[in-house]
Amino acid sequence: MNWIKLILCAMFVCMAHVVSAQQVAVRGQVLDAGTKEPMIGVSVLEKGTTNGTITDFDGNYSLNVASGKTLVFSYIGYVTQEIVVSGETVNVSMKEDSKTLSEVVVVGYGVQKKSSVTGAISQVKTEDLENRSVANPQAALQGKTAGVQIISSSAAPGSSPTVRVRGFSSNVSSNPLYVVDGVRLSDISGLDPNDIASIEVLKDAASAAIYGAEAGNGVVLISTKKGTKGQGKINYDFQYTIQSVGKIPELLNAQEYKNYMMEGNVYDASKFANDWDGVTDTNWADVVFGTGIIQKHNLSFSNGNDKGNYYLSLSYLDNDGIVKGDADFYKRLTGSINADYQIKDWLKVGTTNQIEKYNYRQLSQNNAYGSFFQAVMELDPLTPDTYAPGNLPDNMVAAMNNGQTLLTDENGNYYAVSKFVESENYHPMIMRDNTVPKNSGFNVNGSVYGELKPLDGLVITSRFGYRLSGTRSSTTNLPFYGNSVQNNNFISQSGTSSTTIYWQWENFANYIKTFNEHTLTAMIGMSYQESTYDYITAGYSANGADALLGRDPSFWYLSYGSPSASKSITGEKTRTAKYSYFGRIGYDFAGKYMLQASLRADAADLAYLPASGRWGYFPAVSAGWTISEENFFEPLKDVVSNMKLRASWGQNGSLAALGGYAYGTTMNNSGYYPFVPGNTYITAVRPNSLGNDDLKWETSEQLNIGLDARLFNDRLTFSVDWFNKKTKDLLVTGTTPSLIIGGTTSPINAGNVSNKGFEFELGWRDNIGDFNYSIKGNLATLKNKVTYLDPSLTRLAGTTFHTSTITYFEEGYPVYYFRGYEYEGVDPETGEPIFADVDGDGTVNENDKTYIGDAIPDFTYGITLTAAWKGLDLTVFGSGSYGNDIFNCATRSDHISANKMKKFFYDDRWTPEHTQASVPRANATSMDKYLVSDAMVFDGSYFKIKQIQLGYTLPKAWTKKAFIQNMRLYVSLEDFFTFTKYDGFDPEASASDTSGMGIDMGTYPTSKKVMLGFNVEF
């Protein structure tokens, strides 16, 4: 028994010794290879087990692990390292993985390796969106990628610019399709740029064709952020911005105004002697514009592991505009909830959700008949801003005695009423205060999806997407007296409420199979979309008395209508749907030869197209050749590491011009007729439209050839694309009907547009020791032309300024070009303007109007410079356009007493002493023609430095003591410098995004901003 005990003891001692020899308490520190700073939260895991830990605030770790085993060190954004344990100390330096974000790009219903992409796809990354003062993703795209132009019809708080991808393809709308995490959105303005992981712009038809009937104007795919594997993160971003008007046009001062009006015999000397004190010289821009404050807060939480991840965020934006007072603001609260989880090896489920609540107020703009910003330009400088209560001029006393309501400022002083200018544009502060608009709304959109993997290489996805939105608006019109033209004696009220419910259900399968050097991919799916919209509008109009029971703000609701008021109410509900099938197949040989083809079939709702033509088919094919993989390319590999040639062709559609049963035959009331004896009349009907059962989709057909290259050890990247995009079957109204049939024609497909051009993108990234820098630039050319219009139409009218249409859609010209008189100079004898007699009939009239310019630039461009040294970083970003024109509509021909822009009307005007002038005499007889001639068309080319930002990242040795992983402080100048020849408020002005492009009719200008901010990561 003793021997047995002795043997057992020996065995236990040996086993303990063996176990002790195999287990090692490994310790070490993990550093960033570049900064040499400790890395917090790095995952340290024994390979093939769940035995692991993470590094502490000093980058240290400790883990008991069997000798000879492998430790795996991983951290998001860094190259994963595997090290075999051979001792008790294992220190690691981790390098950033520069390819982490660029390995794949998002495409329709899947992702692709960037090296396998055969279409024209541009990617905008997180770093291009962060730390900007922009409130929406559209503005963040400006200047960041070639072929994408941003059109702003207003820079007011809450306004959103319009995106144009590769030109202008329609006579109605050229908006791209927005897809956020797989869900179609009509508007992405509510997305906070902080929540966006990447934006892909599908520019060519082959890339976008998988979205078929909605992709004719390009597709913008947005992926929102998700949690990442590793230690949980808490991020807080704060911005405080001071904004002011960027540029103020130079107008006539008091003495110049007096001289001009007397020269033009608008007023004589007695008028100025009686109605001007000889001292007042009001600068209305100083009266109107002040300093606005923007505050933005963003808080996010994220985490993840091998099974799943989550990302939660909450943002608040408060933008108080550059107009004094609480009249232009935008307040928005947004939230994001994204998560997914691997329930089984073969099943993953997830959800994405964005929530937005907003309210805003804006001022009247882009209107020749009552624009706040037109009033700033037109009001005379002889009128003061305000009068004290006991010092009112006679015109204001008379108005008050007649029962008119004079508005006052916060100090009780009365806003002045001009004795010189009487029009729809009056004292801008009265225009600000005489109505109280209230606008609010919400958007909730997202998806729930599941991914099933029944076989190796096969992923089946079912995704339900939704979008719920609602808007509420009301307008209270208050009593006021602006002048004898614009005044109101009574209070009235109107309001509108609307709701949109959209949902989509998509099921698609992706399959990938690799054998030897061959890779085959395939995708097939179906989609169903349905949208309902309903609204109700009601109002109380004054009928000889106030339309509300009281003038106190407590009564500014539809519940308090006066019995005497004229009442109105309207509303309806509409529903549309679309059904689709789609598929894509691809082949890749050794990463050298790539071929891809796709087809989508869309069935439109009867609201869009008749049953006989509701199906549309949109094919596409693309190919790629990675030349650098060929053996003959080997001698160049030291310089050119990668070179790929791409080519694609495809067709896309557009729904922009369809809807409302435009193809249908309709009947309208046509008066009363005595078809029977006596005094009995019967209501007659007549055909209102002839119908068109041949109506079909607008279709864009595009050819694209591109080349991508990486040189000098991938430090230089280069891309060039040539495209030729032809849009046909545009929907056109107003064609001439048969004289036999009579009636009014329905819309027909009778217009074609061509867009062609080159796109260049160039980037250089390098470092010199601790100094890192990069340069990225892009440039895109564009030639746009209407190539066909139904022969019964000469041209389609666009935007009107006062009594003249100034833009047209016409064959042989760019989309909605400027049409007017050609100004040839001033008659030195009379000072009258001279115009070209284009048709040579000896008289200048409407027939002599011709092309005088267009708003489409010859090319657009952007450049971004970055530099970093130690903890300091610098970003300089600018964008611009060249060759676009601006039609200035700041002065109406019937507003002869309105103030004028000094450079355009005064500096070189004709006078008896100055007969060799370039500008007509004051109040010339033909001023109505002059104001719609090329004399009012100016070069709109510009370059804006959109951002100059200097940042400093605090050393981690400082921040870790406060449990802070990373902290960066920065200061930025946004839209601060503009280089342009245009003397208006803003060279980016547009009255609208289609027919009003490049028309300055009192557009809210872009402000310049000084921004302070910081980012904190816990």
Side-chain angles (χ1 to χ4, degrees):
M1 182 63 65
N2 290 335
W3 278 104
I4 293 173
K5 291 180 179 178
L6 183 62
I7 292 171
L8 290 173
C9 288
M11 290 175 63
F12 280 120
V13 170
C14 290
M15 289 176 64
H17 178 72
V18 169
V19 171
S20 175
Q22 289 180 339
Q23 293 291 323
V24 179
V26 180
R27 294 177 173 83
Q29 187 180 37
V30 181
L31 302 178
D32 183 298
T35 64
K36 307 303 180 184
E37 295 285 348
M39 293 183 62
I40 305 168
V42 176
S43 173
V44 184
L45 186 69
E46 181 182 350
K47 188 174 182 179
T49 72
T50 58
N51 180 34
T53 185
I54 59 173
T55 57
D56 61 19
F57 288 101
D58 295 313
N60 296 321
Y61 73 94
S62 176
L63 182 67
N64 292 325
V65 62
S67 180
K69 295 294 184 179
T70 300
L71 289 181
V72 180
F73 297 82
S74 61
Y75 192 79
I76 187 67
Y78 288 77
V79 178
T80 299
Q81 294 191 41
E82 296 185 2
I83 299 177
V84 177
V85 175
S86 59
E88 296 183 353
T89 302
V90 178
N91 295 321
V92 178
S93 293
M94 298 193 71
K95 297 180 179 179
E96 288 190 33
D97 185 0
S98 60
K99 298 181 180 179
T100 298
L101 294 177
S102 60
E103 284 183 348
V104 298
V105 294
V106 178
V107 296
Y109 304 100
V111 296
Q112 284 185 351
K113 288 185 178 180
K114 209 167 187 179
S115 58
S116 300
V117 170
T118 53
I121 301 176
S122 289
Q123 187 178 57
V124 179
K125 300 179 182 178
T126 305
E127 55 263 33
D128 293 313
L129 305 172
E130 293 177 333
N131 303 322
R132 298 277 308 278
S133 65
V134 296
N136 52 66
Q138 299 99 311
L141 282 172
Q142 185 172 23
K144 291 299 183 179
T145 182
V148 177
Q149 183 184 355
I150 305 301
I151 300 175
S152 175
S153 58
S154 173
S159 296
S160 302
T162 300
V163 177
R164 290 288 180 266
V165 179
R166 288 187 167 178
F168 306 83
S169 303
S170 177
N171 57 316
V172 178
S173 175
S174 298
N175 294 341
L177 170 66
Y178 299 107
V179 181
V180 179
D181 294 325
V183 181
R184 291 160 178 77
L185 297 183
S186 57
D187 184 15
I188 58 172
S189 303
L191 286 177
D192 193 307
N194 283 70
D195 293 331
I196 295 176
S198 69
I199 301 177
E200 274 82 13
V201 183
L202 312 185
K203 297 186 292 187
D204 68 324
S207 301
I210 201 66
Y211 289 103
E214 299 168 279
N217 299 309
V219 181
V220 178
L221 301 180
I222 297 178
S223 301
T224 57
K225 291 180 179 178
K226 295 183 177 181
T228 54
K229 180 180 176 181
Q231 188 182 33
K233 292 183 179 180
I234 303 174
N235 289 276
Y236 173 66
D237 299 327
F238 171 75
Q239 292 178 356
Y240 183 86
T241 304
I242 302 171
Q243 59 179 338
S244 58
V245 63
K247 179 184 178 183
I248 299 174
E250 187 178 6
L251 302 169
L252 304 184
N253 62 28
Q255 189 59 51
E256 291 164 342
Y257 177 84
K258 176 183 176 182
N259 295 341
Y260 192 86
M261 294 303 155
M262 290 181 65
E263 288 175 13
N265 294 318
V266 178
Y267 297 120
D268 58 20
S270 63
K271 174 70 173 177
F272 294 101
N274 294 329
D275 294 330
W276 179 43
D277 59 12
V279 176
T280 299
D281 192 356
T282 304
N283 185 327
W284 289 103
D286 292 341
V287 171
V288 166
F289 297 116
T291 298
I293 302 297
I294 306 175
Q295 289 192 60
K296 185 179 180 183
H297 307 261
N298 179 268
L299 180 65
S300 66
F301 308 85
S302 63
N303 202 353
N305 55 34
D306 292 331
K307 289 291 187 180
N309 63 78
Y310 65 85
Y311 174 83
L312 310 174
S313 75
L314 187 67
S315 297
Y316 177 71
L317 172 68
D318 184 353
N319 184 350
D320 182 17
I322 56 177
V323 175
K324 292 179 181 178
D326 192 26
D328 59 331
F329 64 82
Y330 176 60
K331 298 180 181 181
R332 184 183 72 194
L333 181 66
T334 57
S336 182
I337 305 171
N338 294 345
D340 62 50
Y341 195 79
Q342 193 80 40
I343 295 179
K344 300 288 185 180
D345 291 341
W346 46 269
L347 178 63
K348 182 170 74 172
V349 296
T351 183
T352 62
N353 304 272
Q354 292 86 41
I355 305 165
E356 174 196 12
K357 176 68 177 71
Y358 63 89
N359 63 297
Y360 66 93
R361 181 178 174 184
Q362 293 183 350
L363 296 159
S364 60
Q365 56 184 308
N366 287 326
N367 189 342
Y369 302 97
S371 166
F372 179 89
F373 299 94
Q374 289 282 68
V376 175
M377 303 286 285
E378 287 196 357
L379 207 59
D380 64 274
L382 312 185
T383 301
D385 175 22
T386 59
Y387 288 106
N391 191 34
L392 297 182
D394 54 2
N395 64 324
M396 294 178 67
V397 172
M400 186 177 290
N401 291 337
N402 287 331
Q404 300 285 354
T405 302
L406 302 181
L407 301 185
T408 62
D409 65 9
E410 62 276 10
N411 299 316
N413 296 316
Y414 288 93
Y415 291 123
V417 176
S418 174
K419 291 186 176 182
F420 295 92
V421 178
E422 286 199 341
S423 71
E424 296 88 352
N425 302 317
Y426 43 99
H427 194 303
M429 292 315 199
I430 300 178
M431 298 179 71
R432 181 195 70 179
D433 295 343
N434 63 9
T435 60
V436 182
K438 297 178 182 178
N439 303 281
S440 63
F442 70 90
N443 288 288
V444 182
N445 56 269
S447 67
V448 178
Y449 61 90
E451 291 183 357
L452 181 67
K453 298 181 180 179
L455 300 172
D456 185 33
L458 176 63
V459 179
I460 301 173
T461 302
S462 182
R463 179 169 58 213
F464 177 84
Y466 67 92
R467 181 177 74 244
L468 311 175
S469 62
T471 63
R472 289 183 295 177
S473 62
S474 68
T475 300
T476 307
N477 297 305
L478 301 175
F480 76 96
Y481 184 80
N483 52 42
S484 61
V485 177
Q486 289 290 314
N487 54 77
N488 180 29
N489 293 324
F490 307 109
I491 190 171
S492 60
Q493 182 77 17
S494 64
T496 298
S497 178
S498 68
T499 304
T500 300
I501 300 176
Y502 166 87
W503 63 273
Q504 65 180 53
W505 186 32
E506 296 182 318
N507 299 281
F508 53 96
N510 279 281
Y511 180 73
I512 181 170
K513 178 67 175 179
T514 300
F515 48 96
N516 298 326
E517 293 185 299
H518 307 274
T519 299
L520 182 68
T521 60
M523 186 273 294
I524 189 170
M526 59 77 63
S527 173
Y528 178 79
Q529 305 165 46
E530 183 174 308
S531 179
T532 57
Y533 169 78
D534 65 88
Y535 75 95
I536 185 168
T537 297
Y540 290 114
S541 300
N543 188 11
D546 283 348
L548 298 177
L549 295 176
R551 293 189 175 184
D552 186 276
S554 301
F555 293 95
W556 294 355
Y557 299 93
L558 291 172
S559 294
Y560 302 105
S562 170
S564 66
S566 298
K567 304 172 182 62
S568 63
I569 186 168
T570 184
E572 65 174 340
K573 181 177 181 178
T574 60
R575 172 192 173 275
T576 58
K578 187 162 72 71
Y579 193 65
S580 310
Y581 296 102
F582 49 85
R584 180 173 57 219
I585 188 168
Y587 172 74
D588 184 321
F589 176 74
K592 187 185 301 184
Y593 310 114
M594 291 144 282
L595 183 66
Q596 185 170 279
S598 67
L599 175 67
R600 183 171 180 123
D602 285 311
D605 190 278
L606 287 177
Y608 296 115
L609 291 172
S612 59
R614 68 194 309 176
W615 281 97
Y617 300 91
F618 306 98
V621 62
S622 60
W625 175 28
T626 307
I627 306 172
S628 55
E629 293 298 313
E630 300 287 358
N631 293 333
F632 66 77
F633 202 85
E634 281 298 322
L636 300 175
K637 274 295 191 76
D638 290 340
V639 177
V640 184
S641 54
N642 183 273
M643 179 179 288
K644 181 172 64 178
L645 182 65
R646 298 176 281 105
S648 68
W649 171 91
Q651 291 183 340
N652 308 127
S654 175
L655 294 166
L658 298 172
Y661 299 90
Y663 62 88
T665 301
T666 58
M667 308 290 284
N668 270 9
N669 290 343
S670 183
Y672 302 95
Y673 295 88
F675 290 117
V676 296
N679 293 324
T680 301
Y681 289 82
I682 296 176
T683 302
V685 295
R686 62 174 175 83
N688 182 55
S689 60
L690 300 179
N692 179 12
D693 286 339
D694 294 326
L695 201 65
K696 55 186 178 181
W697 312 90
E698 290 184 2
T699 302
S700 291
E701 183 174 291
Q702 188 174 173
L703 177 66
N704 188 96
I705 299 174
L707 178 70
D708 304 320
R710 299 198 304 269
L711 298 86
F712 307 116
N713 226 7
D714 292 349
R715 288 176 294 178
L716 178 66
T717 59
F718 173 74
S719 177
V720 59
D721 281 89
W722 171 84
F723 68 92
N724 188 352
K725 181 180 179 182
K726 299 177 181 179
T727 305
K728 59 183 180 180
D729 299 326
L730 269 62
L731 204 66
V732 173
T733 59
T735 53
T736 303
S738 165
L739 295 177
I740 298 174
I741 298 175
T744 303
T745 58
S746 294
I748 65 172
N749 298 101
N752 298 344
V753 173
S754 169
N755 290 277
K756 59 179 67 175
F758 288 90
E759 296 171 353
F760 304 90
E761 294 192 359
L762 184 69
W764 174 270
R765 182 185 295 270
D766 200 5
N767 70 284
I768 304 172
D770 292 332
F771 179 71
N772 299 280
Y773 68 96
S774 71
I775 304 172
K776 292 188 295 183
N778 64 79
L779 183 147
T781 69
L782 180 65
K783 290 185 178 180
N784 172 273
K785 187 168 68 173
V786 178
T787 56
Y788 173 75
L789 189 63
D790 186 81
S792 70
L793 290 168
T794 303
R795 60 186 67 93
L796 300 177
T799 295
T800 298
F801 172 53
H802 190 33
T803 58
S804 298
T805 301
I806 55 178
T807 65
Y808 286 92
F809 185 95
E810 182 177 355
E811 183 176 340
Y813 296 97
V815 167
Y816 289 112
Y817 71 98
F818 302 149
R819 181 177 175 84
Y821 297 102
E822 287 186 344
Y823 174 62
E824 294 188 332
V826 180
D827 184 339
E829 299 296 326
T830 64
E832 287 292 323
I834 302 172
F835 304 99
D837 181 9
V838 175
D839 62 6
D841 66 354
T843 303
V844 176
N845 53 31
E846 286 285 327
N847 297 329
D848 295 297
K849 288 185 175 180
T850 186
Y851 171 89
I852 57 173
D854 65 87
I856 299 177
D858 296 332
F859 62 84
T860 56
Y861 57 96
I863 185 169
T864 303
L865 311 175
T866 66
W869 179 76
K870 304 291 187 179
L872 287 170
D873 62 85
L874 174 68
T875 299
V876 179
F877 161 58
S879 67
S881 70
Y882 176 82
N884 55 297
D885 297 314
I886 293 182
F887 204 135
N888 184 276
C889 298
T891 302
R892 266 173 46 184
S893 59
D894 59 333
H895 290 181
I896 59 175
S897 62
N899 202 1
K900 304 290 188 293
M901 295 181 71
K902 188 172 184 291
K903 185 175 181 180
F904 297 171
F905 294 92
Y906 188 84
D907 284 347
D908 196 30
R909 73 193 185 285
W910 184 96
T911 63
E913 298 75 32
H914 179 48
T915 58
Q916 301 302 313
S918 61
V919 176
R921 66 177 178 85
N923 195 24
T925 305
S926 298
M927 214 62 177
D928 57 336
K929 291 184 176 66
Y930 182 78
L931 294 176
V932 289
S933 72
D934 57 0
M936 291 291 100
V937 176
F938 302 92
D939 183 2
S941 304
Y942 72 90
F943 176 68
K944 284 189 176 183
I945 301 180
K946 306 290 288 185
Q947 180 187 46
I948 303 177
Q949 186 175 114
L950 179 65
Y952 179 66
T953 301
L954 276 61
K956 292 185 178 180
W958 300 0
T959 60
K960 67 181 182 180
K961 298 177 181 179
F963 303 99
I964 295 175
Q965 167 73 13
N966 190 62
M967 185 171 186
R968 178 176 178 269
L969 312 174
Y970 61 90
V971 59
S972 186
L973 301 179
E974 309 260 326
D975 292 299
F976 216 81
F977 302 100
T978 300
F979 304 92
T980 182
K981 295 179 180 179
Y982 181 59
D983 284 329
F985 274 111
D986 191 348
E988 294 187 81
S990 283
S992 69
D993 56 24
T994 305
S995 65
M997 296 181 298
I999 296 176
D1000 190 350
M1001 203 181 297
T1003 302
Y1004 194 112
T1006 302
S1007 60
K1008 60 181 182 182
K1009 309 172 186 70
V1010 178
M1011 181 172 66
L1012 305 174
F1014 63 84
N1015 317 119
V1016 181
E1017 178 184 322
F1018 297 93

